[in-house]
Amino acid sequence: MPRRVADGLLLVDKPSGITSHDAVNEVRRALGVRKVGHAGTLDPMASGLLLMGVGRATRLLRFLGDLEKEYKGTGRLGTETDTLDALGRVVRTSAVDVAEGLLRTVMADLVGEIEQRPPAYSAVKVGGRKLYEAARMGKPVEAPARRVVVSRFDLLRLAGTDFDFLAICSGGTYVRVLVADVGERLGCGAHLARLIRTRIGPFELNHALPPGEPGAPISVERSVAHLPRLDLDAEEARAAQHGRPLGPAGIEGPYAVFDPESRLIGIYRDEGARARPDVILSR
């Protein structure tokens, strides 16, 4: 019989070499529960922080996907791969003669709001099919470009053809594309050799545990602490618990609504003269 596990958010330290889905399955086995999901994947090569919801908290995961992400990694100049990372097939090699100052300039040019096209080997869907499925069949499909925000892309160290970096970017940003863009602008090509996700919004890797030993979840209330908060009186709380519309709060985007005992009821959003629920946890 599955044991009772509190609903909430897990901070999981995913090792390199497994998929995010593999990590979810490890957590399910460790906790003895089925209702576990994750908020945004990490590529198999990458390691680091993965947010997972347990129980009712799986319904809150979509409000975590757009949080800012922080990464530390290594790019390798002079070698291009079909997947843009170390797991891919080498498609081109070039001589490398890059000064540190030029590398810093090229990386700085990629900071800000930029257009980025998802790589061919990614889980983004076009026409109902994941891009990597089409790529593996030899029929690559090009996804439309999207706007992403790169807040920082700092060079930490240049050693031969390898450069260590810190990247802070919006949700949906592909760091391997950033590294490949560096190589393209330098004229020598590059791929992502190593990547660790160290932070997602307010959640940090140093508080995470391995998927086989996930520990106790963070409460649903703390899981949405990054969202604006609205405290309801008793009458409003009763209406919200049944998913009824409320008066507008004057808050842009989703916000968390709480009962008088500071328990999370759900997530609401203003729509004109009414506020309507995106998620009600009691339903």
Side-chain angles (χ1 to χ4, degrees), residues 114-190:
I114 62 173
E115 281 205 344
Q116 188 182 76
R117 195 176 301 278
Y121 285 86
S122 68
V124 172
K125 288 185 177 181
V126 174
R129 171 178 286 182
K130 293 179 179 177
L131 292 183
Y132 70 77
E133 294 173 342
R136 287 172 180 170
M137 294 176 62
K139 301 176 181 178
V141 176
E142 191 172 81
R146 61 175 85 174
R147 303 295 289 181
V148 299
V149 177
V150 180
S151 301
R152 289 179 64 181
F153 192 24
D154 300 341
L155 178 64
L156 302 179
R157 184 179 72 107
L158 174 61
T161 60
D162 286 359
F163 65 99
D164 297 337
F165 62 85
L166 168 73
I168 300 177
C169 46
S170 61
T173 305
Y174 283 91
V175 179
R176 52 191 160 119
V177 173
L178 283 179
V179 170
D181 286 345
V182 168
E184 181 180 0
R185 294 184 181 207
L186 291 172
C188 61

Side-chain angles (χ1 to χ4, degrees), residues 82-104:
D82 55 358
T83 61
L84 311 185
D85 64 21
L87 297 182
R89 177 177 59 88
V90 175
V91 295
R92 189 168 76 96
T93 60
S94 303
V96 178
D97 183 14
V98 175
E100 182 175 314
L102 177 59
L103 177 56
R104 289 187 186 277

